[in-house]
Amino acid sequence: MKNRLKQLRTNKKLSQKAFATAFNDYLKEIKSNSKLITNTTVSRWENNQIEIPNEYLKVIANYFDVTVQYVQGLTFDKTDILKALNDTYLTNIEDNGVDNKDLINLNNIVKNPFSSSVSCALFSSLRNYMSYHSVKPTFSNHELKKFDDDVKQFWNRNFNFVFEYDGIKGFINWGGKKEDLLNTLSKVIRDKYLKDSSTIISQLFDQTTKLELTDFINKKDELLRFGSHEEINEKIDELVASLQEFQSAIQPLPENPVKQLENINEYNDLPF
């Protein structure tokens, strides 16, 4: 994985030569025994021609006030996460052979059977959230691919809430696999979509029936293979009773808004 030295250096508006000079001054200031570096060394580090030696990694991390893992490129920063959202969205749009600028309805985008389950799950969460809140990037596929400041600001403006979650903070602070990051983003965005689109009926279900249904789904494989008729029937009776109670309870409640029903599509197949 490519290290972040160039990103850290350019964020401080330092040339390679200026950074080498400033870093050498820092080495002297902290009385380090490490050899002084040149701008050629900086260039070779940034281009991954040679690895940054361990003796310098911690010093560089301290100099920029970040973690060693961050310098090594083993963690994700905010831009990485926003780009992951952008790239997942773009990939699914391109797989459907359309240009995003011409796209009118996100619900017309169908699942590519050859896409990874992780990509499909994250796009499902993105699409449902964006459809519900009526937000969609207005950029072309080419502009999305460039991921310039305007594109980045779109994703930040609409999905900045993901950075409030401890799971995402963990990837920023400690790193992890990209696949795990995408899975976590999918869950965070889906949870936010479900919270925002919550109705009196969905809240009642969560309070009265969701636990029994989730418990049945989680235990059904073992129950149906190793449970006795009596045990299976007991679980079914519990579930049916819970569903019937819920059915009776919703009768006096108002109908769900039509907008909620429009968001039901083939991507809504994630577990509870």
Side-chain angles (χ1 to χ4, degrees):
M1 186 176 287
K2 187 174 177 61
N3 67 64
R4 287 196 170 94
L5 180 55
K6 182 176 181 179
Q7 176 186 331
L8 290 165
R9 173 180 61 78
T10 55
N11 283 348
K12 283 189 171 287
K13 296 180 170 52
L14 294 171
S15 65
Q16 289 178 341
K17 184 176 181 180
F19 168 68
T21 300
F23 187 69
N24 286 336
D25 289 342
Y26 183 66
L27 288 173
K28 295 173 186 176
E29 179 185 330
I30 63 174
K31 298 181 169 58
S32 171
N33 293 324
S34 300
K35 293 181 180 179
L36 302 183
I37 64 172
T38 66
N39 57 302
T40 301
T41 303
V42 176
S43 176
R44 295 177 72 187
W45 285 348
E46 291 181 353
N47 291 298
N48 278 5
Q49 293 176 340
I50 57 173
E51 288 188 13
I52 302 175
N54 289 333
E55 65 179 296
Y56 289 101
L57 276 172
K58 186 168 179 55
V59 183
I60 292 173
N62 289 339
Y63 178 80
F64 287 110
D65 194 23
V66 296
T67 64
V68 169
Q69 292 91 337
Y70 186 84
V71 177
Q72 292 174 305
L74 299 177
T75 60
F76 301 90
D77 64 9
K78 190 171 182 177
T79 297
D80 295 327
I81 293 171
L82 295 175
K83 192 171 189 305
L85 297 178
N86 177 79
D87 291 353
T88 299
Y89 176 87
L90 176 60
T91 297
N92 281 271
I93 297 298
E94 289 184 326
D95 284 348
N96 277 257
V98 297
D99 193 293
N100 182 70
K101 204 161 191 175
D102 302 325
L103 183 63
I104 297 174
N105 188 350
L106 270 175
N107 286 329
N108 291 333
I109 300 300
V110 297
K111 178 164 64 173
N112 181 345
F114 300 104
S115 293
S116 70
S117 59
V118 175
S119 174
C120 287
L122 178 53
F123 182 72
S124 167
S125 297
L126 283 171
R127 183 172 72 167
N128 289 339
Y129 180 86
M130 293 164 73
S131 294
Y132 180 75
H133 288 284
S134 300
V135 296
K136 186 182 81 69
T138 57
F139 312 100
S140 67
N141 290 3
H142 176 69
E143 290 168 327
L144 288 171
K145 196 169 294 185
K146 286 172 60 179
F147 195 66
D148 62 13
D149 287 343
D150 288 339
V151 174
K152 180 179 174 181
Q153 285 172 15
F154 166 82
W155 292 106
N156 185 50
R157 183 169 61 252
N158 291 288
F159 291 92
N160 191 55
F161 64 85
V162 302
F163 300 107
E164 299 171 6
Y165 287 75
D166 290 339
I168 300 301
K169 291 177 183 177
F171 284 99
I172 293 174
N173 293 328
W174 308 110
K177 296 179 180 178
K178 186 173 183 180
E179 181 176 330
D180 293 337
L181 169 65
L182 299 185
N183 275 324
T184 303
L185 283 169
S186 176
K187 184 179 186 309
V188 166
I189 295 170
R190 177 174 168 78
D191 286 350
K192 184 70 163 61
Y193 158 68
L194 293 177
K195 180 180 179 181
D196 291 352
S197 61
S198 175
T199 66
I200 296 175
I201 292 178
S202 69
Q203 291 168 15
L204 178 63
F205 178 83
D206 289 344
Q207 294 165 6
T208 61
T209 310
K210 181 177 179 179
L211 184 61
E212 284 81 2
L213 182 57
T214 303
D215 183 63
F216 183 84
I217 291 172
N218 289 338
K219 294 179 178 177
K220 68 178 176 59
D221 291 336
E222 286 71 24
L223 180 66
L224 297 177
R225 286 164 176 78
F226 308 111
S228 65
H229 283 196
E230 182 179 355
E231 290 171 328
I232 293 172
N233 286 328
E234 183 181 346
K235 275 295 178 186
I236 291 174
D237 288 342
E238 288 176 2
L239 181 58
V240 169
S242 180
L243 289 169
Q244 287 176 336
E245 180 184 352
F246 173 68
Q247 185 179 39
S248 298
I250 67 173
Q251 297 311 312
L253 299 180
E255 290 283 354
N256 281 326
V258 174
K259 189 170 186 179
Q260 252 82 349
L261 302 178
E262 292 175 348
N263 289 325
I264 298 175
N265 54 65
E266 65 174 297
Y267 279 82
N268 287 337
D269 56 2
L270 300 180
F272 289 96

